[in-house]
């Protein structure tokens, strides 16, 4: 096995996808003016419920639906705390993150009778598109892609279109920049922000479901391992814009894939350094770019109607 | 009462009847205001800060609901629950503060809330931009619909704001102090735009506190003071050129605007000592023109001016918050031009900040800790090295509270639990405890009741008697007239006049303040010397 191969591409895509979903979740929420550092918790909850429902029903599709549904609920909770109650958005999100870590870990033994990890469940299978998977070279890649991978890649142009080419996107961005100005032209800031945060929860949970039901087919305690925060880094590194966020997610996902494969082939690099690689890349990316990143103007500021 | 002739007369585009507005805090911003605005005219609304101009126009725009009173548009009674209702009735308002999204293009800003779309729900940006271009050309706005607002000058943004309400179909345009942030050239350009609008039959209500431009631009002027109409004048071509007619109407309007009949303060002996503060040609290189001024020990120098004419910048320059680009600043004869804030304060400047709740106090901290602010590095509050001694801080605070009569149950309650007057006493006490040789007092009595106000005035007077220098910055001309030994007038970031209270009246000061630097500075300076 070599480090650089088709396998690297496949695992790179698989490792980028959860980041991409979660980062887009962050994008939608933050462009409307609501900080969402709860991506991590939303992912973890999504991953957990996805596996649990698949375990009970045998259907990963029901698991997928349940995970995303829970994400929407968490989005509603974050919205309630940060938009309606106008609690501190960081505190509200941190509460969700802590809750996710504790609740999911506590429920593993209750449901599966063993601590730390669930048994394996049915995964969301790759879709076989006859023409594509027969192609030389790239066929191998297509053979490994599930419907969620296609959804992920399709999400990029759709998000771009909605954000920049539709009234909804214009209003959403207006709410994130100068909500008072948006309100003065008749835009319902509260409703728009709720819509954004719900969508954000759905996307982040989808990232989690991808981790548990596409990649491994089980749930493990704390299995997101900070990917929600890496996604946040991808969003900032991508300057809150859809296309650069895609690039950032791929960069970080491929760094992770490289790290796995380098370990597998036994590259003469320290084990710890390799493990830390994706985080280091994120750190360097942020340190280099954060100064120039331009966040939405009203980000983190609760909107008060007068 | 209406005879047959009244029926014939054209209805005014806007008629406000008996508008009262009492805000929840109890402030009566409008007290029975009647106003009639002829269709197709530019109507000026003139008044000092706080006169109630913005409130009245917010009522007309549906942003504020009046406590009492009614609105008629061309004779039809209307009632607005929101700006959307007003826009529906073709009344639009450009607020005092910009309400554009800097990150958006002009087109995006103008269509927001009412977006045209093509099939597939896509924004019809190109068509919208073409329409906006056409509108801009028709009125000579010179606006590129595809430019990003953040990249535009302040003057251009102001025109975009107007374009925005025109685009919404406004026939009556309310502009709240639209020239406040503009350069003279930009103001002139805006005036041109407004005249074009008038020619096209639109009605403009123009709020301002600058006399000169109101006379240049408006057909009729209504003057507000303390929530009431104090007078109205028709302005004709004979008033616009320089001459006795113009001077008469200017004097008239200025008296209406500021005219309180309070006499100037009693002539105290004025025996100033050595200068404690000297500015020679000092400027920040931006908002301020090079400033020459001095404050001597044993005198109160009042700085008068309309809000936002450079007072804050000047204070920041003196304190060292704002860098000095050229010129020199001397404190007690020492050149402090390059000194940081902290060092200047230690060298003897006290500062009573204008906004006590955000700049002088930390509202969520106890009174005792607020009393410490600025002294935290002094060894007398330390024990065993640099650890703060809670007991010494409380003792110090208790002493301040006693000496300056701050009404508080204890020094442990938060500053936010004190009334405004007691908060200010705490700030004044803290700054005076520094024993400064110069105190910069920025609107030290704003929002205070009479008792607290006279407390502050007495303290300033005592400093003066003690041979210290006081720079009193205030928007309240009466306060300036009663307390000051000398008065400086600032306008547009430059000193435009200087006088002793015995030599001027409030009208004259009002004239100097409101004419600004742009118009006929020469005559202002002539009057000052
Ligand atoms: N939202 C508000 N709540 C309470 N008081 C207000 C409010 N807005 C304005 N005021 C007060 O009403 C008075 C008139 O203010 P305003 O209409 O803004 O005057 P102007 O525009 O002539 O400067 C002032 O004393 C001001 O402090
Ligand atoms: Mg106003």
């Amino acid at each position: 096995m070599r480090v650089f191969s088709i396998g690297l591409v496949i695992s790179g895509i698989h490792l980028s996808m959860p980041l991409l979903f979660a980062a887009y979740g962050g994008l939608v929420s933050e462009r409307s003016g609501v900080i969402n550092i709860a991506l991590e918790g939303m992912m973890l909850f999504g991953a957990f419920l996805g596996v649990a429902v698949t375990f009970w029903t045998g259907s990963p599709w029901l698991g997928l639906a349940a995970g995303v549904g829970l994400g929407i609920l968490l989005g509603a909770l974050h919205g309630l705390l940060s938009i309606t109650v106008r609690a501190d958005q960081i505190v509200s999100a941190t509460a969700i993150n802590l809750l996710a870590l504790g609740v999911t870990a506590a429920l593993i033994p209750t449901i599966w009778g063993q601590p730390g990890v669930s048994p394996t469940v049915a995964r969301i299978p790759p879709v076989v598109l006859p023409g594509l998977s027969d192609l030389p070279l790239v066929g191998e890649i297509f053979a490994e892609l599930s419907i969620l991978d296609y959804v992920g890649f399709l999400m990029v142009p759709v998000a771009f279109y909605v954000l920049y080419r539709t009234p909804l996107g214009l209003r959403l961005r207006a709410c994130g920049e100068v909500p008072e100005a948006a309100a003065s032209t008749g835009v319902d800031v509260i409703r728009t922000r709720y819509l954004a945060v719900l969508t954000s929860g759905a996307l982040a949970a989808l990232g989690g479901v991808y981790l548990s039901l596409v990649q491994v087919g089980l749930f493990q305690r704390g299995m997101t391992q900070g990917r929600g925060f890496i996604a946040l880094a991808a969003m900032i590194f991508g300057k809150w814009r859809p296309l650069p966020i895609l690039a950032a997610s791929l960069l970080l996902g491929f760094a992770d894939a490289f790290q796995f494969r380098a370990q597998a082939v036994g590259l003469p690099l320290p084990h710890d350094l390799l493990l830390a690689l994706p985080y280091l890349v994120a750190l360097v990316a942020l340190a280099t770019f954060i100064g120039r990143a331009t966040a939405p103007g009203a980000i983190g500021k609760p909107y008060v109607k007068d | 009462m209406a005879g047959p002739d009244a029926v014939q007369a054209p209805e005014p585009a806007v008629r406000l009847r008996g508008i009262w507005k009492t805000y929840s805090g109890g402030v009566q911003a409008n007290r029975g205001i009647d106003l009639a605005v002829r269709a197709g005219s530019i109507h000026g609304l003139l008044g000092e800060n706080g006169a109630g101009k913005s409130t009245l126009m917010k009522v007309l725009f549906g942003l504020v609901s009046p406590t009492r009173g009614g609105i008629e548009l061309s004779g039809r009674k209307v009632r607005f629950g929101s700006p959307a209702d007003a826009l529906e009735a073709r009344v639009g308002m450009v607020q005092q503060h910009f309400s554009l999204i800097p990150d958006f293009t002009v087109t995006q800003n103008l269509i927001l809330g009412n977006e045209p779309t093509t099939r597939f729900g896509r924004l019809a940006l190109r068509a919208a931009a073409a329409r906006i271009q056409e509108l801009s050309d028709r009125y000579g706005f010179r606006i590129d619909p595809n430019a990003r607002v953040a990249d535009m000058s302040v003057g251009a943004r102001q025109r975009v704001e107007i374009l925005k309400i025109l685009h919404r179909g406004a026939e009556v345009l309310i502009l709240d102090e639209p020239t406040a942030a503009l350069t003279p050239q930009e103001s002139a350009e805006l005036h041109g735009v407004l005249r074009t609008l008038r020619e096209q039959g639109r009605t403009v209500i123009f709020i301002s506190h600058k006399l000169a431009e109101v006379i240049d631009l408006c057909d009729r002027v209504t003057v507000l003071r303390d929530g009431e109409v104090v007078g109205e004048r028709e302005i004709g071509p004979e008033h616009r050129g320089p001459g006795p007619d113009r001077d008469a109407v200017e004097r008239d309007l200025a008296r209406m605007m500021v005219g309180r009949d309070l006499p100037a303060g009693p002539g105290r002996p004025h025996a100033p000592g050595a200068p404690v503060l000297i500015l020679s040609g000092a400027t920040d290189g931006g908002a301020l023109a090079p400033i020459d001024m001095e404050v001597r020990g044993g005198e109160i120098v009042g700085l008068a001016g309309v809000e936002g004419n450079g007072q804050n910048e000047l204070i920041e320059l003196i304190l060292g918050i704002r860098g000095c680009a050229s010129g020199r600043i001397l404190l007690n004869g020492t050149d402090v031009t390059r000194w940081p804030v902290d060092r200047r304060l230690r060298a003897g400047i006290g500062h009573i900040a204008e906004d006590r709740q955000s700049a002088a106090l930390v509202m969520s901290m106890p009174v005792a800790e607020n009393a410490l602010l600025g002294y935290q590095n002094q060894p007398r509050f330390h024990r065993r090295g640099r650890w703060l001694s809670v007991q010494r801080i409380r003792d110090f605070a208790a002493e301040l509270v006693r000496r300056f009569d701050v009404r508080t149950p204890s020094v442990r309650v938060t500053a936010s639990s004190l009334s405004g007057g007691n908060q200010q006493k705490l700030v004044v006490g803290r700054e005076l405890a520094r024993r400064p040789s110069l105190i910069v007092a920025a609107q030290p009595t704003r929002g205070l009741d009479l008792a607290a106000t006279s407390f502050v005035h007495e303290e300033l007077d005592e400093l003066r008697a003690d041979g210290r220098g006081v720079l009193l910055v205030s928007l309240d001309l009466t306060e300036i007239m009663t307390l000051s030994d000398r008065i400086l007038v600032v306008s547009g970031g430059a000193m435009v006049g200087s006088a002793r209270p015995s030599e001027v009246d409030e009208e004259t000061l009002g004239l100097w303040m409101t004419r600004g630097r742009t118009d006929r500075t020469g005559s202002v300076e002539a009057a000052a010397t």
Side-chain angles (χ1 to χ4, degrees), chain B residues 23-25 27 29 48-56 96 176-177:
Chain B
Y23 282 111
S24 48
V27 178
E48 277 195 301
N49 266 303
K53 309 179 296 289
S54 297
T55 301
L56 185 67
Q96 206 161 347
D176 196 348
E177 309 215 7

Side-chain angles (χ1 to χ4, degrees), chain A:
Chain A
M1 190 164 112
R2 290 169 298 125
V3 173
F4 296 100
S5 66
I6 286 291
L8 177 73
V9 177
I10 293 167
S11 103
I13 291 175
H14 281 164
L15 288 165
S16 299
M17 238 0 112
L19 298 181
L20 187 65
F21 282 122
Y24 268 53
L27 168 73
V28 173
S29 173
E30 302 213 344
R31 285 307 285 261
S32 83
V34 182
I35 294 180
N36 189 357
I37 63 158
L39 296 174
E40 173 80 5
M42 292 168 168
M43 281 180 96
L44 196 58
F45 264 127
F48 170 80
L49 196 67
V51 170
V53 169
T54 309
F55 175 76
W56 290 319
T57 65
S59 161
W61 302 111
L62 287 178
L64 169 70
V68 171
L70 181 57
I72 293 175
L73 278 182
L74 291 168
L77 176 65
H78 185 45
L80 185 74
L81 292 174
S82 60
I83 303 171
T84 305
V85 183
R86 298 197 288 271
D88 188 296
Q89 297 178 7
I90 302 289
V91 173
S92 150
T94 304
I96 292 177
N97 285 338
L98 293 175
L99 202 67
L101 202 56
V103 169
T104 57
L107 286 179
I108 293 173
T110 317
I111 297 175
W112 291 295
Q114 61 189 45
V117 65
S118 77
T120 49
V121 296
R123 289 166 48 181
I124 292 176
V127 275
V128 184
L129 299 170
L132 287 177
S133 28
D134 297 336
L135 292 174
L137 216 60
V138 290
E140 245 182 279
I141 300 176
F142 282 111
E144 292 289 331
L145 296 185
S146 73
I147 187 85
L148 285 193
D149 294 285
Y150 292 104
V151 169
F153 283 122
L154 203 63
M155 177 178 70
V156 174
V158 169
F160 186 90
Y161 186 84
V162 172
L163 214 46
Y164 293 106
R165 298 283 183 265
T166 68
L168 178 63
L170 191 73
R171 290 171 177 217
L172 186 129
R173 288 185 290 132
C175 292
E177 293 290 340
V178 190
E180 296 78 15
S184 79
T185 63
V187 174
D188 188 336
V189 176
I190 304 288
R191 228 189 67 187
T192 310
R193 286 190 166 178
Y194 258 105
L195 187 66
V197 179
L198 296 187
T199 311
S200 178
L203 289 175
L206 191 56
V209 168
Y210 187 99
L211 269 182
S212 65
L213 287 181
V214 175
Q215 278 184 13
V216 290
L218 55 75
F219 181 80
Q220 194 178 3
R221 169 187 179 144
M223 77 183 291
T224 44
Q225 290 184 312
R227 284 199 171 76
F229 293 107
I230 300 266
L232 213 55
M235 177 197 73
I236 296 170
F237 185 30
K239 299 182 177 182
W240 290 266
R241 297 209 206 115
L243 295 180
I245 291 177
L246 171 67
S249 302
L250 288 172
L251 171 72
L252 295 168
F254 272 81
D256 211 6
F258 171 80
Q259 167 278 118
F260 273 123
R261 295 185 68 81
Q263 284 192 56
V265 299
L267 273 197
L269 287 170
H271 171 75
D272 293 336
L273 184 70
L274 281 175
L275 267 185
L277 184 68
Y279 304 94
L280 281 176
V281 172
L283 201 66
V284 170
L286 283 182
T288 334
F289 282 86
I290 198 165
R292 282 186 275 151
T294 41
I299 194 165
K301 294 195 199 104
Y303 170 67
V304 187
K305 233 188 198 154
D306 53 15

Side-chain angles (χ1 to χ4, degrees), chain B residues 18-19 62 65 86 111 130 176 209 232 271 311 328 348 350 383 385 389 393 405 408 437 456 470 481 485-486 504 529:
Chain B
I19 303 289
S65 57
I111 63 174
D176 196 348
H209 54 226
E232 257 187 24
Q311 295 97 320
R328 294 203 312 156
R383 61 188 174 86
S389 158
I393 294 168
D405 190 28
T408 173
S437 46
V456 172
V470 177
M481 292 287 277
D485 297 299
R486 284 190 297 123
V504 285
T529 43

Side-chain angles (χ1 to χ4, degrees), chain B residues 46-48 209 211 223-225 253-259 514:
Chain B
L46 191 66
E48 277 195 301
H209 54 226
L211 268 177
V223 184
L224 296 189
R225 191 173 73 225
L253 291 173
R255 179 163 30 73
M256 287 191 239
M257 240 173 105
V258 298
T514 50

